[in-house]
Amino acid sequence: MSAVPAEIETPEVLIDRDVLEQNIHRMATVVGAKGMDLRPHVKTHKMPEIAKLQLAAGAVGLTVATIGEAEVFVQHGARDVFIAYPLWVTPHHARRLAQLSSVARVAVGTDSVEAAQAMGAALSGAAEQIEILVEIDSGHHRSGVSPLHAVEVAQSATAAGLRVSGVFTFPGHSYAPGMPVKAAEQEQLALDESASLLRSAGFDISRISGGSTPTAALAGQSVANEVRPGVYVFGDAQQLELERCTLDEIALTIAATVVSRHERQGSAPRRCVLDAGSKIIGSDRPAWASGFGRLMDHPEARISALSEHHATVIWPEDSELPALGTRLRVIPNHVCLTMNLVDEATVVSGDKVIARWRVDARGKNK
């Protein structure tokens, strides 16, 4: 896609179907060549149409963040889902999980003795239908236990009537400059240690699950047998700055219009303002990021500030400031947030609109 199609009203999320398919097949090929299973995290796109493309390209199943997301994708035909989250299961959750497991293979995460006991009690007779993966902290220090505590959690799950089949981790600290390689190494060590300890304790560990978009393609001979990248389908400004994707791998942009422009005056910077703010771009900006997003066709420009409906773009001194009414394509910093802010997106091929896809799992936060 080289320009915003004339019929598009801004702001609007655009998905380049051709780049999307290239990204899907590239990751499937890379992961398959390593002998690993690909289980993409669909919280990034939340769209059944994209999940079907991923499964058709060889993904063994889907990763989701919530029971609600799992329900949406199972309703649209998915038959193997992993809720990669340390669930605290209530009786209401248990009923939903039991229903899901009656039509699909379902796995969930846990990272504590207490949560495993609560899950077993709530699931009761349906406990054996659900697979349990113990979450391991491989350096991100969010959820997950150290490898040394994996056996304790697994034993409590088994005592509660649950079926432990593996371990998983999320190397989220890979989302920082200079960190992807180190995070991938720490991920491998943590998964290897925890799986070895569990096997020594008598557990049949068949799933060793890791991977994020920055690390999924890095590992050589991996102890993991499946990876769960998500952002790779679209790419975003964070991945660009981490050099984990290139501009030709950006499949999602936000079409926006220049509604205000200002040459430098005194201390006020040379800038233009777009009609796409935090309510469609998302407000995520890591401390290391150079702005709140990038422009697809002007990579030297920087989004310096966001309001709800304004994006302030600092324009380079050696480039002509765009005229009022100019339509530009914004690359959001964190594409997962963008997809949770819109109900649907426009799908394009070249300069032609070819479809509109609903974000069916939007807002399914529980």
Side-chain angles (χ1 to χ4, degrees):
M1 181 177 62
S2 57
V4 177
E7 63 266 42
I8 294 296
E9 294 290 336
T10 64
E12 174 69 20
V13 172
L14 303 179
I15 296 173
D16 187 316
R17 171 76 181 240
D18 304 316
V19 178
L20 172 73
E21 291 188 342
Q22 289 168 15
N23 292 346
I24 288 171
H25 286 283
R26 183 186 302 109
M27 184 63 78
T29 299
V30 168
V31 171
K34 296 177 184 296
M36 294 188 290
D37 291 334
L38 177 62
R39 185 180 294 277
H41 208 316
V42 295
K43 75 176 179 63
T44 293
H45 55 73
K46 300 178 172 59
M47 290 178 158
E49 288 85 354
I50 296 180
K52 289 173 183 175
L53 291 173
Q54 291 172 308
L55 291 167
V60 298
L62 305 177
T63 303
V64 297
T66 67
I67 298 173
E69 288 181 351
E71 288 168 336
V72 168
F73 287 99
V74 168
Q75 286 165 8
H76 283 85
R79 289 298 172 260
D80 190 334
V81 292
F82 172 34
I83 305 170
Y85 194 87
L87 291 177
W88 183 266
V89 176
T90 66
H92 177 62
H93 293 144
R95 287 191 292 273
R96 295 165 68 195
L97 287 170
Q99 175 59 34
L100 281 170
S101 68
S102 69
V103 293
R105 179 190 184 194
V106 178
V108 304
T110 192
D111 76 345
S112 69
V113 169
E114 295 85 356
Q117 291 171 338
M119 190 185 308
L123 285 167
S124 186
E128 270 292 314
Q129 298 171 235
I130 312 290
E131 290 183 51
I132 304 300
L133 275 69
V134 178
E135 184 173 11
I136 306 301
D137 178 8
S138 58
H140 186 38
H141 305 320
R142 188 176 63 181
S143 51
V145 295
S146 76
L148 295 176
H149 290 96
V151 171
E152 178 187 8
V153 174
Q155 288 174 335
S156 69
T158 300
L162 300 167
R163 180 164 51 97
V164 177
S165 65
V167 292
F168 77 105
T169 191
F170 172 60
H173 53 312
S174 62
Y175 287 81
M179 283 303 295
V181 172
K182 181 178 180 180
E185 292 170 350
Q186 293 175 330
E187 172 189 44
Q188 293 303 305
L189 289 172
L191 288 173
D192 191 20
E193 183 179 5
S194 56
S196 296
L197 289 170
L198 284 163
R199 284 171 174 151
S200 295
F203 287 93
D204 181 13
I205 299 303
S206 59
R207 292 176 63 180
I208 304 176
S209 181
S212 62
T213 292
T215 63
L218 285 177
Q221 193 64 32
S222 175
V223 65
N225 54 25
E226 76 170 28
V227 289
R228 310 183 317 276
V231 174
Y232 77 94
V233 291
F234 293 144
D236 59 20
Q238 288 185 133
Q239 299 303 313
L240 277 175
E241 294 211 31
L242 291 173
E243 298 182 341
R244 303 315 305 159
C245 75
T246 61
L247 280 172
D248 2 351
E249 294 168 347
I250 297 293
L252 183 145
T253 55
I254 299 161
T257 299
V258 176
V259 294
S260 182
R261 67 192 298 274
H262 304 273
E263 294 290 353
R264 180 180 294 280
Q265 292 183 340
S267 62
R270 188 168 186 256
R271 68 200 185 277
C272 66
V273 177
L274 309 180
D275 63 351
S278 63
K279 286 188 171 179
I280 190 167
I281 296 175
S283 56
D284 204 354
R285 181 184 180 180
W288 50 265
S290 62
F292 285 94
R294 305 287 285 273
L295 298 187
M296 186 71 168
D297 304 301
H298 303 276
E300 70 285 358
R302 292 294 183 274
I303 299 177
S304 64
L306 287 180
S307 304
E308 292 181 43
H309 299 284
H310 303 69
T312 301
V313 182
I314 302 300
W315 208 260
E317 296 291 342
D318 58 354
S319 298
E320 184 178 352
L321 201 62
L324 291 170
T326 302
R327 289 142 72 88
L328 302 173
R329 292 181 291 161
V330 176
I331 306 169
N333 267 348
H334 188 177
V335 72
C336 302
L337 298 186
T338 295
M339 293 306 291
N340 202 45
L341 291 169
V342 295
D343 292 322
E344 57 185 9
T346 297
V347 185
V348 299
S349 178
D351 295 334
K352 304 294 184 184
V353 173
I354 60 172
R356 288 188 66 79
W357 289 346
R358 286 193 55 78
V359 190
D360 286 316
R362 180 194 180 207
K364 301 298 184 182
N365 296 319
K366 58 186 178 181

